[in-house]
Amino acid sequence: LNISGYKNTKQRNKIIQILQNAKTPVTAEEIYLQVKKEPTSIVLSTIYRNMETLLKKGIVTKTIYSDGKSRYELTQERHTHRVICLKCNKSIILEECPIEFIEKNLEEQDGFEILEHKIEIYGHCADCKTVKN
Amino acid sequence: LNISGYKNTKQRNKIIQILQNAKTPVTAEEIYLQVKKEPTSIVLSTIYRNMETLLKKGIVTKTIYSDGKSRYELTQERHTHRVICLKCNKSIILEECPIEFIEKNLEEQDGFEILEHKIEIYGHCADCKTVKN
DNA sequence: TTTCGTGCAAAGTGTTTGCAGGCGA
DNA sequence: TCGCCTGCAAACACTTTGCACGAAA
């Protein structure tokens, strides 16, 4: 999992382990709180720096949610899209990717070179739908 | 344009005017810089507060871009999707909206209530494609 | 040993808030 | 007049950076 010139530290491995267990993208702070209890605590700046490193290596993917916080997840084999609950931020993975239809036109007609795309659908998940406020 | 219990100030009108002339969503700071030169200067906090007010009224729409900054635009009649250049942040409006296909499944199978969705496609526009770095 | 990684503290950046005075209705 | 709106300054929240020490290769 961890090759290519970078070092293999406790902190880095712990972070990757947390990302592996996460069912949904997590914030730096969520990672921080999760290790805080354990003897192996990690400082926030270390988490951010590792995220940057892992981003460069393509191991993690970063998305800024509508609350303004960056969330990180392990990069998926096939790129995915998520449906995100506005209340609890839980997410569902979308199987379909409708972008392919659009890409061709965009590249041919507008000369736009597509590098990445994000689909974010917001709403209330089944759990939160019933909760008031 | 401006009814419903709120007051009609120079600052607010100026902001709306700037949004009307903008071809692309703008940041609070961009608005600030644009009025700074003129005799009618507006402070950043006023811009943010007005954005919040206009958001509540549904007059403007806010999107957080991948640089972490919020950008504002007048709410479009029909909801739109944009293709955003990673270098200059210029954007192209997408005519198609492929989400309808997905929505039905999501609501029926997962019980997810969809409230909004964003499609953001990032890449390099025709201008920036040729520029190095 | 050399280099990269970490902790700690401080600084940055974008955004929000408290307060007193001012303008619009 | 009354209440919302503004400017100014300070506070916030998330993220980044500088520096010296510590750990991995």
Side-chain angles (χ1 to χ4, degrees):
Chain A
L1 188 56
N2 233 30
I3 343 160
S4 67
Y6 293 89
K7 284 181 182 170
N8 207 29
T9 66
K10 285 176 220 146
Q11 292 86 338
R12 186 164 291 170
N13 288 327
K14 185 72 194 170
I15 289 171
I16 292 176
Q17 184 197 317
I18 289 177
L19 290 174
Q20 282 172 329
N21 294 336
K23 295 175 204 71
T24 223
V26 292
T27 63
E29 175 141 44
E30 283 164 353
I31 296 175
Y32 172 69
L33 292 175
Q34 209 167 321
V35 284
K36 198 179 162 187
K37 308 162 195 165
E38 304 181 20
T40 337
S41 182
I42 309 177
V43 167
L44 267 171
S45 57
T46 295
I47 296 173
Y48 281 114
R49 271 193 275 233
N50 270 300
M51 287 315 183
E52 202 172 327
T53 305
L54 295 172
L55 271 171
K56 275 196 208 121
K57 296 177 75 174
I59 293 179
V60 309
T61 304
K62 168 179 169 179
T63 310
I64 302 185
Y65 276 34
S66 60
D67 63 0
K69 296 184 192 167
S70 296
R71 281 175 175 75
Y72 306 87
E73 64 185 314
L74 292 181
T75 304
Q76 309 286 323
E77 270 310 309
R78 44 187 298 244
H79 74 268
T80 53
H81 305 293
R82 293 178 178 282
V83 187
I84 303 157
C85 181
L86 284 167
K87 288 186 185 164
C88 67
N89 281 312
K90 273 201 301 274
S91 60
I92 297 172
I93 290 184
L94 273 184
E95 290 308 321
E96 301 151 88
C97 170
I99 292 293
E100 276 93 30
F101 302 115
I102 296 170
E103 287 198 348
K104 201 172 290 174
N105 282 341
L106 213 51
E107 303 210 316
E108 285 171 4
Q109 291 176 21
D110 299 288
F112 200 100
E113 176 195 15
I114 295 177
L115 297 175
E116 52 181 276
H117 64 267
K118 298 234 168 75
I119 298 180
E120 281 162 38
I121 303 176
Y122 293 91
H124 292 151
C125 69
D127 295 340
C128 293
K129 204 166 55 172
T130 53
V131 183
K132 304 171 196 71
N133 184 14
Chain B
L1 189 57
N2 232 29
I3 343 161
S4 67
Y6 293 89
K7 285 183 182 169
N8 207 30
T9 66
K10 285 176 220 148
Q11 291 86 339
R12 187 164 291 170
N13 289 327
K14 186 71 193 169
I15 289 172
I16 292 176
Q17 183 197 317
I18 288 177
L19 291 174
Q20 282 172 330
N21 295 336
K23 296 174 205 72
T24 223
V26 291
T27 63
E29 175 140 47
E30 283 163 355
I31 295 176
Y32 172 69
L33 291 176
Q34 209 166 322
V35 284
K36 199 179 163 189
K37 307 162 196 166
E38 305 181 20
T40 337
S41 181
I42 309 178
V43 167
L44 266 171
S45 57
T46 295
I47 296 173
Y48 281 114
R49 273 193 273 232
N50 270 300
M51 287 316 185
E52 204 172 323
T53 305
L54 295 172
L55 270 170
K56 274 196 207 121
K57 295 177 75 176
I59 293 179
V60 309
T61 303
K62 168 179 169 179
T63 310
I64 302 185
Y65 275 34
S66 62
D67 62 1
K69 297 183 191 169
S70 297
R71 281 175 175 76
Y72 307 89
E73 63 184 314
L74 292 180
T75 304
Q76 308 286 323
E77 269 311 309
R78 42 185 301 241
H79 74 267
T80 53
H81 305 292
R82 293 177 177 282
V83 186
I84 303 156
C85 181
L86 284 167
K87 287 186 185 165
C88 68
N89 282 310
K90 273 200 301 272
S91 59
I92 297 172
I93 289 184
L94 274 185
E95 291 308 320
E96 300 150 88
C97 169
I99 293 293
E100 277 91 30
F101 303 115
I102 296 171
E103 288 200 348
K104 200 172 289 173
N105 281 341
L106 213 51
E107 303 210 316
E108 285 171 3
Q109 291 177 21
D110 299 289
F112 199 99
E113 175 194 16
I114 295 177
L115 297 175
E116 52 182 275
H117 62 267
K118 299 236 168 73
I119 298 181
E120 281 162 37
I121 303 176
Y122 294 90
H124 292 152
C125 68
D127 295 340
C128 292
K129 204 165 54 171
T130 53
V131 183
K132 305 172 196 68
N133 188 7

